[in-house]
Amino acid sequence: MNGTSATEDLLRLHAPQVLGALVRRYGHFGEAEDAVQEALLAAARQWPEQGVPDNARGWLIRVASRRLMDQLRSDEARRRREEEAAQLSPRDAFTAPPPGESRAPSQDDTLTLLFLCSHPVLSPAAQVALTLRAVGGLTTAEIARAHMLPEATMAQRISRAKAKVKGVPFEQPRRKDRDQRLAVVLQVLYLIFNEGYTATSGDALHRADLAREAIRLTRSVRILLPEEGAVTGLLALMLLTEARSEARTGPHGELIPLDEQDRSRWDRRAIEEGSALVEKALSQGPAGAYQLQAAIAALHDEAAQADDTDWPQILALYDILVRRTPDPMAELSRAVAFAMVHGPRAGLAEVAAMEERLAGHHRLDAVRAHLLERAGETEAARDAYQLAARRTLNIPETRYLRMRAARLST
C-alpha cells in the first residue's frame, strides 16, 4: 500500500469519529461537516509529506475545531451561535489529546452519528445519502455517481437532510427506542450494500465502492455492538454475498447466474469469515431476517458446485424467514427454492400467488421465465425473459435476459 492510499484509509477511518466529536461538542451539523472536510483536505496535503501525527484523530479534531470556530466567527449574523458554541466548548477544545490517549467516547460517536443520519425525519433516500457523506466520507460527486444523479441534485438532497437534522440532539436513542432506531441504521447499511452489489440502473452490475463501504461501516457498528445478533448477521450476509462478486460477471461485464459461476473465483477467506459470523449470529438470540439470510447465503457458498446445494435446508430457512419478516423479494427467492425441491411447476404456482404484489417488477418476470424454461415451456419462457429485459434499468441484466430469450428462439 502506498503512502497516499494509506493516508486515505486512515482519514476515512477517523472522519466519522471527528465529525461526531464536533457535533457532540458544538452542534451545528452542517457547519461541523464542512469543517471536518477542510481538516481532511489539510491532512491529505500535509501527512504524505510531513508524516502522520502520533495522534491522528486528535490532530483532526483540533484542526476541524479551529476551522469551525473561524467559520462561526466569520459571519456577524451568527454572533449568537458563536456565543452558544463558546459556552459549549470544553477547556481542551483547541488542544489535541496527548499521544496514545484512546478517547473512547469519539469511537462511540460513530454509532451516534449513524443514528443521527438514519433519523426518522429523513426519507430512506436522504438517510442513505447523508450516511455515505457524513459517516462513509464519500464526496457529493461520488454519491451522485453511485445513484446516477446530477451532482447538483445530490448536493440539494444532502443539504436538505442536514437542515432536517439540525437541532436534533446528538445522542444515542433511549433504551425503549434503541432497537427500532438500530433497525433503521442496519436497513440503511443494507440498502447501500444492495445498491453496490446489484445496481438498480446504469451500465455496471456491481459498484464495488458502495458494497465495500457498506461492509466497512457494518464492521464499525459490530465493533461497538459485538453482541447484537442482527449486526453480526448483517455483516455475515454482506461478506458471504460479496464473496461471489468476482464470479458474477464475465470478461465483457455480462451477468453470470449463481448456478453457472466459476466457484474457484469466490473469495474463500470472506466465506470462512462470513460462515463463522453466521454461527455467532445464530447464538446471539432469536434469528431475525439478517441472520436467516446469512445462513441461506452460507449454504450457497459452502456448496462445492451447484448440484451440491442443500435446497431442502434453504427452503426450510426461507419458510422461517417469510413467516417472521414478510418481504416480497424474500418470498420470490423462496419460490425458487420451492421449485428446486418440488419441481418448476410447483414453483410457478408460488410465483403466480405473488402476481398482484409484484406486478411490473422485472425480477418476478425473470423468475417466471427461468421456471418456465425449466418446465420446458420454451415460447412462454422467451416472452417472460423479453418482458423482464424491458422492465429492468440495469444494462448487464438487460443483456443477460435478452440473451436468454434469444437462446430460446433458435
Side-chain angles (χ1 to χ4, degrees):
M1 180 181 293
N2 60 45
T4 301
S5 61
T7 299
E8 290 175 353
D9 289 343
L10 188 60
L11 292 176
R12 179 162 288 190
L13 171 67
H14 288 312
Q17 299 172 10
V18 175
L19 177 57
L22 261 67
V23 175
R24 174 168 49 81
R25 290 176 176 181
Y26 311 114
H28 309 307
F29 183 97
E31 292 84 350
E33 203 266 344
D34 291 339
V36 171
Q37 291 301 315
E38 291 188 34
L40 294 174
L41 288 173
R45 288 192 298 267
Q46 296 179 30
W47 291 3
E49 296 181 0
Q50 301 177 12
V52 177
D54 290 339
N55 191 320
R57 183 169 58 223
W59 188 98
L60 290 167
I61 291 174
R62 175 165 55 90
V63 172
S65 295
R66 286 176 173 173
R67 299 292 171 89
L68 176 59
M69 298 306 294
D70 288 344
Q71 183 179 346
L72 293 174
R73 290 193 184 99
S74 67
D75 190 343
E76 291 299 323
R78 297 180 179 178
R79 189 176 300 278
R80 290 184 180 179
R81 292 170 57 187
E82 180 186 2
E83 293 172 355
E84 177 188 352
Q87 292 173 359
L88 293 173
S89 299
R91 294 181 179 179
D92 65 344
F94 305 109
T95 305
E101 185 171 333
S102 65
R103 295 186 67 89
S106 67
Q107 295 179 354
D108 295 337
D109 286 340
T110 301
L111 182 59
T112 308
L113 190 59
L114 274 167
F115 278 120
L116 181 62
C117 292
S118 302
H119 197 278
V121 299
L122 301 175
S123 68
Q127 290 171 341
V128 169
L130 191 59
T131 298
L132 287 173
R133 173 69 171 157
V135 189
L138 275 65
T139 66
T140 302
E142 289 172 331
I143 301 168
R145 284 197 300 272
H147 288 83
M148 308 296 289
L149 290 173
E151 184 174 350
T153 301
M154 185 55 68
Q156 290 177 352
R157 179 179 295 179
I158 294 172
S159 179
R160 287 194 296 267
K162 290 179 183 178
K164 283 190 174 183
V165 299
K166 185 178 181 179
V168 174
F170 188 75
E171 60 187 16
Q172 293 194 22
R174 296 178 181 177
R175 183 175 295 275
K176 66 177 183 178
D177 300 323
R178 184 177 173 280
D179 288 348
Q180 183 178 0
R181 292 285 301 281
L182 178 60
V184 175
V185 169
L186 298 183
Q187 179 65 15
V188 169
L189 296 176
Y190 190 40
L191 288 171
I192 294 171
F193 177 79
N194 282 343
E195 181 62 26
Y197 191 70
T198 303
T200 54
S201 61
D203 56 4
L205 178 70
H206 183 233
R207 292 172 183 163
D209 55 342
L210 281 183
R212 285 196 298 265
E213 186 59 26
I215 291 172
R216 186 184 72 83
L217 292 175
T218 307
R219 283 191 189 280
S220 297
V221 176
R222 185 167 187 267
I223 289 171
L224 297 169
L225 301 172
E227 300 305 318
E228 286 285 348
V231 179
T232 305
L234 179 58
L235 179 57
L237 174 60
M238 289 179 178
L239 290 169
L240 291 164
T241 305
E242 180 66 8
R244 310 179 204 132
S245 60
E246 290 297 319
R248 291 179 70 220
T249 54
H252 304 293
E254 67 274 19
L255 187 152
I256 301 175
L258 180 63
D259 60 346
E260 297 177 14
Q261 290 175 13
D262 178 0
R263 300 187 177 213
S264 67
R265 299 181 63 195
W266 288 1
D267 186 341
R268 305 313 306 183
R269 182 177 298 177
I271 292 172
E272 290 175 4
E273 181 184 1
S275 297
L277 286 171
V278 169
E279 293 184 12
K280 180 68 173 177
L282 293 175
S283 71
Q284 292 177 321
Y290 299 126
Q291 295 97 310
L292 291 168
Q293 291 180 77
I296 291 168
L299 288 170
H300 280 296
D301 288 10
E302 291 166 1
Q305 53 189 4
D307 290 342
D308 297 332
T309 304
D310 189 347
W311 285 109
Q313 182 64 23
I314 288 174
L315 177 58
L317 289 169
Y318 270 123
D319 285 339
I320 299 172
L321 176 62
V322 299
R323 282 199 303 269
R324 293 187 180 177
T325 55
D327 174 69
M329 288 298 110
E331 291 183 44
L332 191 57
S333 296
R334 178 192 170 278
V336 174
F338 195 85
M340 296 303 295
V341 175
H342 300 291
R345 296 197 181 279
L348 285 167
E350 298 291 314
V351 170
M354 290 180 273
E355 289 284 352
E356 186 174 344
R357 282 173 294 162
L358 289 174
H361 200 294
H362 77 278
R363 287 190 179 150
L364 179 74
D365 300 313
V367 169
R368 183 193 299 108
H370 173 68
L371 297 180
L372 286 168
E373 183 179 0
R374 286 176 54 86
E377 298 187 31
T378 304
E379 185 175 348
R382 183 187 63 232
D383 293 343
Y385 278 127
Q386 291 173 341
L387 181 59
R390 290 195 296 270
R391 286 176 167 168
T392 183
L393 299 177
N394 184 277
I395 293 174
E397 283 189 327
T398 300
R399 291 172 178 163
Y400 167 76
L401 293 165
R402 286 176 177 168
M403 179 271 293
R404 301 289 296 204
R407 189 165 67 182
L408 295 177
S409 300
T410 57

